[in-house]
């Protein structure tokens, strides 16, 4: 009769099996240059389940000699959640490709009073989001306010797609600074500045920001009662305020604003175009850095259910619906024509590393 296994032996066996599974996921992520949308989501579900199992084990009675190994495994699994969904597209620099809503990475962003929905896509085709810049869109419910937080090493540059309110505590201010952002304006929160964003309306609103690799884990949440402690703990290098555009243009059927932003040594450009109903505009892409990608999407006017544009100028016309992203390579340098397909204004957002 075989002797009963000790708790330590059982935990070691579980650890070995879990390591094998994690090694297999890591190998598959590295080998698949163009994973399908189904593969990306299947892998994500497996990783989420595995992360919960590991956390449950760590919360139970893990032998002290194995605790470090389980924590190392948890860190590896957490890293898998940064898998870059832009890898699903073909490596074809000759055509504009579309990632539709099913192929965009979605997350629920926990808050103190309600959930905020977010989407993520990398501005590159490498394995993880934190291998390069990524764009994050936050959809805030009616009257939603994010928890106060602070970034100790990076800045936050958030573009208001719909009207939003930025609140920050700069240096020794005794009350918050208020930044009422209109569509197409970018609020900068310097590193070390406690801040939040709020949707002041009774309709869902969107904002978009670019995360440099160092920003992925650079976030400290602050309770309202701890904001002043946050100011004392993190040294602010500059105060918050609006980013000055590189240019603003009035177009025949809309408006065009462009920004050049630098953070932690990375430079990127953001374009915001307001297209009038059924209007069309010519759009100069400008540059896209080598070995990176440009991303373009369209948002409806606040409260409208949909938006749709045509992109013409590189091969066959491409249709971009709300929640879709058009992916452009550094080869796409010439002008594009953007056509609003609906009887309501639309907001076009484009970002790329330069």
């Amino acid at each position: 009769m075989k002797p009963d296994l000790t708790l330590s032996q059982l935990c070691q066996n579980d650890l070995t099996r879990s390591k094998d599974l994690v090694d297999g996921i890591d190998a598959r992520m590295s080998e698949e240059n163009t994973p399908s949308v189904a593969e990306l989501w299947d892998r994500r579900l497996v990783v989420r389940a595995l992360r919960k199992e590991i956390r449950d084990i760590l919360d139970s009675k893990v032998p002290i000699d194995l605790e470090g190994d389980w924590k190392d495994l948890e860190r590896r699994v957490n890293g898998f959640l940064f898998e870059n969904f832009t890898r699903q597209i073909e490596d074809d620099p000759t055509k504009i490709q579309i990632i539709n809503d099913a192929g965009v990475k979605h997350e629920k962003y926990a808050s103190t009073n309600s959930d905020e929905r977010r989407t993520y896509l990398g501005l590159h085709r490498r394995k993880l989001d934190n291998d390069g810049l990524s764009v994050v869109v936050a959809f805030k419910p009616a009257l939603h306010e994010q928890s106060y937080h602070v970034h100790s090493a990076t800045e936050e540059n958030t573009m208001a797609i719909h009207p939003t309110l930025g609140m920050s505590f700069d240096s020794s201010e005794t009350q918050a600074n208020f930044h009422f952002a209109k569509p197409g304006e970018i609020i900068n929160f310097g590193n070390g500045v406690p801040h939040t964003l709020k949707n002041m309306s009774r309709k869902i609103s969107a904002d978009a920001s670019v995360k440099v690799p160092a920003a992925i884990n650079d976030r400290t949440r602050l309770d309202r009662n701890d904001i002043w402690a946050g100011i004392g703990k993190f040294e602010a290098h500059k105060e918050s305020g609006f980013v000055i555009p590189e240019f603003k243009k009035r177009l025949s059927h809309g408006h065009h604003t462009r920004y050049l932003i630098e953070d932690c040594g990375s430079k990127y450009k953001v374009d915001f175009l307001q297209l009038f109903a059924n209007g069309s505009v010519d759009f100069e892409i400008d540059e896209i850095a080598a070995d990176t990608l440009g991303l373009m999407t369209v948002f409806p006017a606040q409260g409208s259910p949909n938006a749709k544009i045509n992109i013409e100028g590189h091969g066959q016309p491409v249709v971009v619906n709300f929640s879709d992203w058009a992916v452009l390579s550094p080869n796409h340098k010439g002008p594009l024509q953007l056509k609003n397909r609906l009887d309501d204004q639309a907001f076009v957002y484009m970002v790329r590393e330069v």
Side-chain angles (χ1 to χ4, degrees), residues 60-353:
S60 63
K61 295 179 180 179
V62 177
I64 191 67
D65 59 319
L66 296 178
E67 186 176 6
D69 290 333
W70 279 108
K71 287 184 176 180
D72 287 342
L73 200 62
E74 183 182 40
R75 281 190 285 271
R76 288 184 65 190
V77 169
N78 285 337
F80 292 160
L81 292 173
F82 293 130
E83 184 168 12
N84 175 20
F85 271 38
T86 316
R87 296 173 66 226
Q88 69 191 258
I89 65 167
E90 304 170 32
D91 189 10
D92 186 346
T94 64
K95 62 182 181 181
I96 298 174
Q97 300 181 68
I98 296 294
I99 297 177
N100 61 29
D101 184 62
V104 177
K105 182 162 57 177
H106 296 259
E107 291 284 3
K108 281 290 188 70
Y109 189 73
S111 179
T112 54
N113 53 5
S114 61
D115 283 332
E116 175 181 297
R117 184 168 63 87
R118 291 193 170 194
T119 64
Y120 302 76
L121 279 176
L123 299 177
H124 54 88
R125 295 191 73 252
R126 294 181 285 277
K127 185 167 70 171
L128 301 176
D129 286 338
N130 53 1
D131 289 334
L133 303 183
S134 56
V135 60
V136 179
V137 178
F139 295 93
K140 301 191 295 298
L143 304 177
H144 170 79
E145 180 180 302
Q146 295 176 350
S147 60
Y148 272 94
H149 59 280
V150 64
H151 310 290
S152 60
T154 60
E155 299 181 5
E156 179 174 327
N157 293 283
T158 298
M159 172 176 281
I161 305 300
H162 303 119
T164 194
L165 170 64
M167 294 178 281
S168 68
F169 288 83
D170 298 329
S171 59
S172 59
E173 293 291 334
T174 57
Q175 56 186 342
N177 287 327
F178 295 96
H179 309 283
F180 294 91
K182 296 178 290 188
E185 292 185 322
I186 293 181
I187 307 173
N188 170 269
F189 300 108
N191 55 329
V193 175
H195 61 275
T196 188
L197 294 170
K198 183 169 184 176
N199 176 10
M200 298 292 288
S201 75
R202 295 188 178 275
K203 301 175 182 177
I204 292 175
S205 71
D207 59 69
S209 58
V210 173
K211 302 297 182 184
V212 298
I216 295 295
N217 293 308
D218 181 30
R219 186 183 187 279
T220 301
R221 179 172 169 168
L222 301 172
D223 184 88
R224 280 179 174 273
N225 297 324
D226 296 333
I227 293 174
W228 300 116
I231 293 176
K233 182 177 178 181
F234 300 101
E235 180 184 358
H237 293 275
K238 68 176 183 179
E239 295 187 344
S240 58
F242 287 99
V243 178
I244 298 174
E246 189 173 57
F247 66 72
K248 294 182 73 171
K249 293 180 180 178
R250 181 182 292 274
L251 308 174
S252 57
H253 294 97
H255 302 276
H256 182 190
T257 306
R258 174 172 290 168
Y259 299 87
L260 171 63
I261 296 173
E262 182 172 2
D263 186 16
C264 294
S266 296
K267 291 183 179 180
Y268 59 94
K269 288 192 176 184
V270 182
D271 287 275
F272 181 85
L273 294 99
Q274 178 187 8
L275 297 185
F276 299 154
N278 298 303
S280 64
V281 299
D282 292 328
F283 173 71
E284 235 3 280
I285 296 175
D286 200 15
E287 61 183 312
I288 300 175
D291 194 34
T292 68
L293 299 166
L295 296 179
M296 179 184 289
T297 191
V298 61
F299 295 93
Q302 191 176 22
S304 295
N306 196 18
K308 180 183 292 188
I309 60 169
N310 268 17
I311 303 178
E312 300 179 2
H314 286 280
Q316 296 295 319
V318 173
V319 178
V320 184
N321 292 287
F322 174 43
S323 298
D324 294 344
W325 289 83
V327 184
L328 300 96
S329 80
N331 284 38
H332 298 122
K333 299 180 184 299
L336 298 174
Q337 188 175 57
L338 308 179
K339 294 183 177 181
N340 184 357
R341 298 277 301 277
L342 300 181
D343 296 328
D344 199 352
Q345 67 174 334
F347 301 134
V348 177
Y349 173 90
M350 180 177 178
V351 60
R352 67 272 190 207
E353 191 171 356

